[in-house]
Amino acid sequence: MSPVRAFTAVLGRDVFVTGRELPSFLAQVLVQPVALLFIFGKVLSELGYAQPGYAQILLPGMIALNAFLVSLQNTSFPLVLDFSFSREIEDRLLAPLPISWVAVEKMLFGALRGLFAAVLMVPIGMVMLGEITWNLPGLAFALLCVVLGSLAGAAVGLTVGAAVPPRRINIMFSVILAPLMFTGATQFPWAQLDHLRWFQILCAINPLTYVSEGMRGALLPEVPHMPPWVCVLALVIATVVFGALGIKFFLRRALD
């Protein structure tokens, strides 16, 4: 069997298992973002604490959040389990393909899950929030941002899952998840943070910011946003840098 066929077979197996576990997967990836969307986009708007039109700004950010975080979690957590005492990763390492390709398969599978979860948020958000008007010509670029965001999130997840010992993964996620969620410009436009310059700089370090800004600029061009090329460049750099780091840590753990 060629390495390409082996890679496809391993990826296809993971996708098949996801199909069999679809109800639990949907519960895992939809409960938190749907709750956030309902509270911030529906409840606060109905009570008058959010300005009219805020739901329009929020929905692209929630889609970006789902793409990035679901990819991150669905790459890192299975990897931690595979490298735990059970050593389930050894079954994949025995497949007829380079070890680095096993890491890439883990990252690609996590990105596919994130992409699927992000797409699911579109009809849910439109039904929940009601009047959502998007710039239809920008849908192609928005999809590109979701794909790149899923890959970037999976690359970060590969780095975290391969670098952090299993006994410390819960502490790591407790430390990084909340900052990632609330500095990713998912609930607000990054370009309007001029009066909070330090926070704007902090948000610019988070790759999730570029997914949110890219989608918001494509779907709501009238809202202040980052230049599209900046978003694409930042996400490509994040994917390459974290992907290379993740593969390096993966090889170190796999050959240990």
Side-chain angles (χ1 to χ4, degrees):
M1 179 179 289
S2 68
V4 175
R5 289 184 61 190
F7 181 90
T8 305
V10 173
L11 182 61
R13 177 189 178 277
D14 286 339
V15 172
F16 177 76
V17 171
T18 299
R20 295 185 61 180
E21 300 174 349
L22 191 59
S24 59
F25 170 69
L26 293 178
Q28 174 195 354
V29 303
L30 291 179
V31 171
Q32 178 177 310
V34 169
L36 288 173
L37 191 64
F38 178 72
I39 296 298
F40 286 99
K42 188 70 174 179
V43 175
L44 295 184
S45 296
E46 292 289 338
L47 295 177
Y49 291 109
Q51 294 183 355
Y54 177 62
Q56 296 264 32
I57 295 175
L58 182 64
L59 182 55
M62 290 295 101
I63 297 171
L65 177 68
N66 227 27
F68 191 87
L69 283 189
V70 170
S71 299
L72 191 157
Q73 292 175 321
N74 281 269
T75 304
S76 58
F77 276 126
L79 199 57
V80 169
L81 293 176
D82 287 345
F83 278 122
S84 64
F85 65 91
S86 63
R87 302 293 296 178
E88 293 183 13
I89 194 66
E90 292 180 358
D91 292 341
R92 297 175 184 271
L93 297 179
L94 294 175
L97 72 166
I99 295 178
S100 60
W101 286 29
V102 178
V104 173
E105 189 275 333
K106 285 284 187 180
M107 189 174 72
L108 183 57
F109 176 61
L112 288 175
R113 282 193 161 199
L115 180 61
F116 180 65
V119 171
L120 284 178
M121 283 298 296
V122 177
I124 293 174
M126 288 188 168
V127 171
M128 181 183 299
L129 301 179
E131 298 180 359
I132 298 294
T133 304
W134 282 346
N135 175 44
L136 295 183
L139 286 176
F141 185 77
L143 180 60
L144 174 63
C145 290
V146 172
V147 172
L148 292 177
S150 299
L151 289 172
V156 175
L158 179 65
T159 301
V160 172
V164 179
R167 65 182 181 276
R168 297 181 180 173
I169 192 66
N170 290 332
I171 299 175
M172 175 60 68
F173 272 99
S174 299
V175 171
I176 68 173
L177 274 186
L180 278 175
M181 290 174 58
F182 294 106
T183 62
T186 55
Q187 298 97 6
F188 48 82
W190 179 89
Q192 294 183 337
L193 293 175
D194 292 336
H195 61 291
L196 288 172
R197 188 64 178 171
W198 66 270
F199 187 63
Q200 189 178 47
I201 295 173
L202 183 62
C203 292
I205 301 173
N206 188 346
L208 176 56
T209 296
Y210 302 95
V211 192
S212 305
E213 285 293 296
M215 289 198 60
R216 200 170 282 126
L219 302 175
L220 304 168
E222 68 278 3
V223 176
H225 57 273
M226 286 183 182
W229 68 269
V230 173
C231 299
V232 172
L233 180 62
L235 291 173
V236 170
I237 291 175
T239 302
V240 172
V241 171
F242 283 104
L245 283 174
I247 291 174
K248 178 181 178 180
F249 291 135
F250 182 90
L251 291 174
R252 183 183 301 174
R253 292 283 297 276
L255 298 175
D256 185 7

